[in-house]
Amino acid sequence: MGRYVARRLLQMIPVFLGSTLLVFLMMYALPGDPVRALAGEQTVDPAQIAAMKKDLGLDRPFLVQYGNYLVNLFQGDFGTQIASGRPVADIIASAFPITIRLTLFAFTFTALVGISLGVFAGLKADTLRDRGLLVLTLLLISVPSFVLAFLAQFFFAHQLGWVDPNVSALAEWGELVLPAVVLGSLSLAYVARLTRTSIAENLRSDYMRTAVAKGLPRRRIVGVHLMRNSMIPVVTFLGTDLGSLMGGAVVTEGIFNVQGVGYNVFSALKNREGATVVGIVTLIVVVYLVASLLVDLLYAVLDPRIRYA
């Protein structure tokens, strides 16, 4: 196990460098000048703009800028926002906990409700409740997230008055219920369908017929034999979906005014604040890599036949 973990950690290095390089290149290639945009409509001396670029290191070649970014990153320096002069690390420190709460809320909702619906439908495949689940999940997949967010905001906030339409700056747990449900709805549909298919397939397996023939209680057959083998593809999806929920929070956070990393990424993209975008995306990449490693290690827990040399 130790060798496997060490090998996976080494494999993360080129993935991390490649992904951050790609994001850095995309921000470098965007049209516009973030320093010139600070002046707005005012006329600014080109020498003054050149001096500001030199101070920020924006006049250097792309690879030099990227190399300096990596060196500073490993020292805990994510760069500085050009417009406000605020360190990107401070922006991440204030926004990341909000997105973590929103993501964990959405992830819990997705896992609990999605797996429950999938098991409920998969145990009775090709019945009315199974077809009802397929229709429900197809509806959730078909409706874009921003449409679902506006509909939820209209009915639950404006019509019924159960929640506030916008989240306050504190982003308390109770305020994040509706945004989390909207954020996790698409993933819930995939989890429910994946669980339903996996349950229905494993019910027809030889080991299930053997367990029934032995006279084992149904609770043990379903809870131990069926669930452990059926959860492997679901755990794989949920592990990668954790990073997707964080990255996909841009639209949800914008609609509900949740001032997390998605909100800050959107604002940084509009203002071409490359340091902010690259810093936040770098953190999300790390979350993806760690979640992927944890999912692979969970395989051995769910299926004893899997062993890592």
Side-chain angles (χ1 to χ4, degrees):
M1 178 70 75
R3 273 186 175 180
Y4 175 77
V5 174
R7 188 166 65 248
R8 285 298 307 272
L9 291 174
L10 290 175
Q11 290 174 354
M12 289 181 181
I13 296 175
V15 175
F16 174 80
L17 294 176
S19 56
T20 53
L21 176 62
L22 181 61
V23 175
F24 204 92
L25 179 61
M26 291 172 62
M27 293 305 302
Y28 184 84
L30 282 178
D33 188 344
V35 177
R36 179 64 184 84
L38 292 176
E41 300 295 331
Q42 300 178 359
T43 303
V44 182
D45 186 5
Q48 186 178 0
I49 294 179
M52 292 180 63
K53 286 185 175 181
K54 185 176 181 180
D55 292 338
L56 295 170
L58 298 179
D59 60 332
R60 300 174 183 177
F62 165 73
L63 290 179
V64 175
Q65 292 187 40
Y66 178 68
N68 291 336
Y69 171 75
L70 288 180
V71 172
N72 294 331
L73 180 64
F74 289 119
Q75 295 175 356
D77 183 7
F78 286 83
T80 303
Q81 201 171 56
I82 298 175
S84 63
R86 187 182 176 191
V88 176
D90 290 349
I91 298 174
I92 294 176
S94 61
F96 203 69
I98 298 176
T99 299
I100 285 291
R101 291 201 295 271
L102 177 63
T103 302
L104 289 179
F105 212 144
F107 182 81
T108 304
F109 168 73
T110 297
L112 293 181
V113 179
I115 292 175
S116 300
L117 290 176
V119 172
F120 181 74
L123 290 175
K124 295 290 184 180
D126 298 323
T127 60
L128 182 60
R129 69 188 190 188
D130 182 31
R131 295 189 183 94
L133 175 70
L134 294 178
V135 172
L136 175 63
T137 53
L138 181 61
L139 179 64
L140 291 176
I141 294 172
S142 303
V143 178
S145 59
F146 66 90
V147 174
L148 188 63
F150 281 122
L151 288 176
Q153 197 177 50
F154 175 77
F155 284 109
F156 293 106
H158 297 293
Q159 295 295 317
L160 299 176
W162 291 355
V163 295
D164 293 327
N166 294 318
V167 176
S168 67
L170 297 176
E172 301 290 346
W173 283 99
E175 298 177 305
L176 296 176
V177 173
L178 190 60
V181 170
V182 172
L183 179 61
S185 294
L186 179 60
S187 299
L188 180 145
Y190 288 121
V191 168
R193 284 197 166 209
L194 193 58
T195 305
R196 177 260 174 199
T197 302
S198 186
I199 290 287
E201 288 180 353
N202 281 291
L203 274 175
R204 298 189 292 267
S205 300
D206 292 338
Y207 70 87
M208 288 298 297
R209 286 191 287 267
T210 302
V212 173
K214 286 181 177 181
L216 294 176
R218 179 172 175 80
R219 179 180 298 178
R220 180 174 177 80
I221 293 173
V222 174
V224 178
H225 297 278
L226 180 61
M227 289 297 293
R228 287 183 66 175
N229 288 279
S230 301
M231 287 299 101
I232 292 179
V234 180
V235 167
T236 303
F237 176 83
L238 287 174
T240 56
D241 189 56
L242 186 61
S244 300
L245 289 174
M246 293 185 63
V250 175
V251 175
T252 306
E253 289 184 356
I255 294 175
F256 290 97
N257 195 38
V258 182
Q259 298 181 22
V261 295
Y263 182 90
N264 282 276
V265 166
F266 181 70
S267 300
L269 284 172
K270 289 195 302 183
N271 299 324
R272 205 179 178 279
E273 292 281 358
T276 305
V277 175
V278 177
I280 293 176
V281 172
T282 298
L283 207 55
I284 295 177
V285 168
V286 173
V287 172
Y288 261 110
L289 294 175
V290 173
S292 177
L293 176 61
L294 293 178
V295 165
D296 288 347
L297 295 179
L298 278 175
Y299 288 160
V301 177
L302 294 172
D303 191 345
R305 296 170 297 180
I306 298 176
R307 288 292 180 267
Y308 297 117

